[in-house]
Amino acid sequence: MRGQKEIVPELGACFQCRRCTAGCPVAAWADHPPHRIVKWACDNELDRATDTSMVWICASCLTCTARCPNNVPVAELMDVLKQRAVRNGREITEKDVLTGHRAFLGPVKRWGRLHELTMITRYKLKTGHLFQDVILGLVLFLRGKIRIFPERVGLPDTIDKEND
Amino acid sequence: MKLSYFPGCTLGSTGIEYGESTEAVLAELGIELQELPGWVCCGATPAHALDGDFSFELSAHNLSIASREGKDVVVPCAACFNRMQIAHQALTEKGNGPGIRVLHPITLITEQFTKNDLEGRFKRTLERMKTVAYYGCLLVRPEKETDFDDRENPQCMDRLLEWMGADVRDWSHKAECCGGGLALARSDIVSSLVKELAETARDAGAEAIVTACPLCHANVDMRQWTTVKTNPEARNLPVFYLTELLAYCFGVGDCHRWFGKHLISCEGLLGNAN
């Protein structure tokens, strides 16, 4: 899949029209808007672009990439910078988002399928938010929407699970 | 007609209403589904966020199973559909296409059946229930890869709902994000986005929101339920899966059991007393 080497050269087409930021559903909560992250990455200020909450709050809705008049891969850049943050040991301000992603992937790598109960337990223990949505979780369980046991099909050996 | 089936991780758990209603609807339409043997998680957002190659390999593996089974594969979950279509496109570009199609149930139904075919099978209609069609993000973007509908103003679900007798309202937010995978780590953002979705849906005159994405359903149903309404007069809007309503119209499946699993009650609608 396309990584930093493929994505960054395409950022040069950006002329800062801000259409990405205008359509971004989460920009209001981020420290810096998407168009600024694109500019920094384009100007080779990669650490500055990486060390933002925006790259983690991005919901991957793809509104930015879809609407960009110049086909700049804005959403894909957010993924590239998340991966760069982890790889280079950068300080991550939205740690819970990373924890959430890892909590999801744990059961997937181990059993080949998501197991929500394992994901939620891992998430709560790692973040310390032990009582977050406890009533919601109980109601879901009572309505038969939470599987108790994981389905273990396993991932084929051909899939490389090692990078994070 | 025989097709392969990829339920994905949520259709047996948090999206169980979607899984059961999809299976009931397709059985009613004479489509025999065979679950892909040994299918694995598509990785949804977390996989592509942290490791693009891993994300691709998950979907490529599922597509190779589908290819071996030799039949098009029905994929109801929007995230799974999205990841598989992206992998499908990437493989095809390299000359390694799986040779089968990835079909969302809405595409399958509208390709195989006309309005008359479906109307002929309806035992009930939605009796002008005022609805908005909520597509969310992953069915319609990226537009080329998903090949599903227009990304700004999709219509396929609106049309189906009209055939089913709903009073479908035009809506500003039909393809706006619910917050998706931020459900756990930033539920504050999700709650705010859901509040805006519900408010604009009410502005459009809707009594219900209809969706085809398990995460959109979870977010819009659960976060209306957990957040205090700023306007006490404003009614929380029940969220239905399209296939629950199709099953209701066909008179198949245990619709009221499915509706009972939602957090927002649909009392006052579809024959339920207030």
Side-chain angles (χ1 to χ4, degrees):
Chain A
M1 283 277 102
R2 284 147 51 82
Q4 191 172 310
K5 274 209 268 317
E6 293 84 14
I7 302 286
V8 172
E10 293 183 10
L11 306 179
C14 172
F15 51 28
Q16 294 288 295
C17 74
R18 293 152 162 79
R19 209 166 167 211
C20 51
T21 296
C24 177
V26 302
W29 286 272
D31 49 5
H32 296 285
H35 71 272
R36 195 172 302 148
I37 312 267
V38 171
K39 177 159 177 52
W40 287 340
C42 187
D43 291 347
N44 204 31
E45 292 183 75
L46 285 176
D47 281 348
R48 208 175 175 195
T50 302
D51 300 345
T52 59
S53 68
M54 179 69 225
V55 306
W56 293 98
I57 291 178
C58 168
S60 305
C61 77
L62 290 178
T63 303
C64 48
T65 301
R67 290 183 180 170
C68 176
N70 298 344
N71 297 319
V72 173
V74 186
E76 292 79 349
L77 174 65
M78 300 301 160
D79 280 350
V80 161
L81 295 177
K82 283 195 276 282
Q83 290 154 30
R84 186 172 184 279
V86 170
R87 198 170 55 237
N88 294 358
R90 307 298 300 172
E91 177 70 36
I92 293 170
T93 51
E94 295 286 328
K95 292 186 175 54
D96 289 355
V97 174
L98 175 57
T99 301
H101 291 329
R102 285 178 166 155
F104 181 111
L105 291 175
V108 173
K109 290 183 180 181
R110 202 158 160 204
W111 296 315
R113 292 193 189 164
L114 173 65
H115 183 236
E116 285 107 335
L117 207 50
T118 304
M119 169 182 73
I120 290 167
T121 308
R122 249 186 87 152
Y123 176 80
K124 281 177 182 290
L125 289 175
K126 188 87 211 262
T127 60
H129 303 316
L130 299 175
F131 300 110
Q132 175 187 321
D133 288 327
V134 143
I135 298 189
L136 173 64
L138 189 59
V139 172
L140 291 178
F141 179 74
L142 292 173
R143 294 194 187 193
K145 289 171 99 160
I146 307 274
R147 248 197 251 277
I148 303 179
F149 297 109
E151 294 180 309
R152 298 173 205 225
V153 298
L155 289 181
D157 297 321
T158 47
I159 296 185
D160 174 14
K161 320 177 250 253
E162 280 323 299
N163 182 16
D164 197 81
Chain B
M1 185 181 198
K2 285 195 179 126
L3 293 170
S4 289
Y5 181 50
F6 182 93
C9 303
T10 59
L11 260 60
S13 54
T14 45
I16 193 159
E17 311 95 314
Y18 194 16
E20 290 184 1
S21 60
T22 297
E23 291 173 31
V25 163
L26 294 182
E28 165 67 14
L29 292 173
I31 295 167
E32 191 188 315
L33 294 175
Q34 286 170 343
E35 193 168 319
L36 282 185
W39 61 265
V40 299
C41 179
C42 74
T45 296
H48 75 73
L50 298 188
D51 187 347
D53 289 332
F54 179 59
S55 172
F56 170 72
E57 286 173 34
L58 289 169
S59 287
H61 178 65
N62 288 321
L63 288 171
S64 76
I65 302 173
S67 182
R68 209 175 52 227
E69 296 291 308
K71 299 186 283 287
D72 292 344
V73 58
V74 177
V75 187
C77 168
C80 303
F81 172 78
N82 182 279
R83 298 320 301 169
M84 285 177 81
Q85 284 289 59
I86 287 175
H88 192 292
Q89 168 89 346
L91 289 167
T92 304
E93 269 170 17
K94 284 190 239 169
N96 233 354
I100 48 92
R101 286 173 75 197
V102 174
L103 282 176
H104 190 271
I106 295 177
T107 311
L108 169 63
I109 291 170
T110 51
E111 279 184 358
Q112 294 297 324
F113 301 93
T114 64
K115 179 178 184 216
N116 284 343
D117 290 335
L118 294 174
E119 280 179 346
R121 295 171 192 256
F122 289 155
K123 301 207 167 50
R124 297 184 277 216
T125 73
L126 296 179
E127 285 165 22
R128 308 302 294 157
M129 180 170 70
K130 302 178 187 64
T131 62
V132 285
Y134 184 38
Y135 297 78
C137 304
L138 301 181
L139 286 178
V140 298
R141 294 186 290 275
E143 199 171 27
K144 180 163 144 256
E145 285 83 344
T146 54
D147 189 26
F148 180 76
D149 202 329
D150 185 84
R151 64 172 158 81
E152 295 290 350
N153 190 3
Q155 295 288 335
C156 57
M157 202 176 0
D158 292 68
R159 236 185 342 260
L160 258 179
L161 287 166
E162 271 161 10
W163 295 355
M164 290 153 72
D167 174 2
V168 184
R169 297 305 172 97
D170 213 4
W171 186 31
S172 52
H173 281 49
K174 50 170 49 169
E176 292 292 320
C177 190
C178 68
L182 295 173
L184 270 183
R186 290 301 302 261
S187 57
D188 59 317
I189 295 179
V190 171
S191 295
S192 183
L193 294 175
V194 166
K195 177 166 171 265
E196 190 175 312
L197 289 168
E199 276 172 359
T200 52
R202 275 192 290 269
D203 287 345
E207 297 171 301
I209 298 176
V210 184
T211 186
C213 169
L215 196 45
C216 293
H217 186 281
N219 282 341
V220 183
D221 187 41
M222 293 177 200
R223 292 301 162 193
Q224 283 186 88
W225 189 78
T226 59
T227 54
V228 173
K229 295 190 279 286
T230 51
N231 170 10
E233 299 295 306
R235 186 200 158 120
N236 277 339
L237 295 176
V239 190
F240 295 101
Y241 286 105
L242 175 70
T243 46
E244 284 179 305
L245 297 180
L246 266 171
Y248 174 85
C249 290
F250 287 147
V252 298
D254 197 348
C255 302
H256 290 284
R257 187 171 67 86
W258 297 327
F259 300 161
K261 289 179 185 286
H262 302 170
L263 291 169
I264 310 271
S265 123
C266 61
E267 61 177 2
L269 298 171
L270 299 177
N272 288 320
N274 251 322

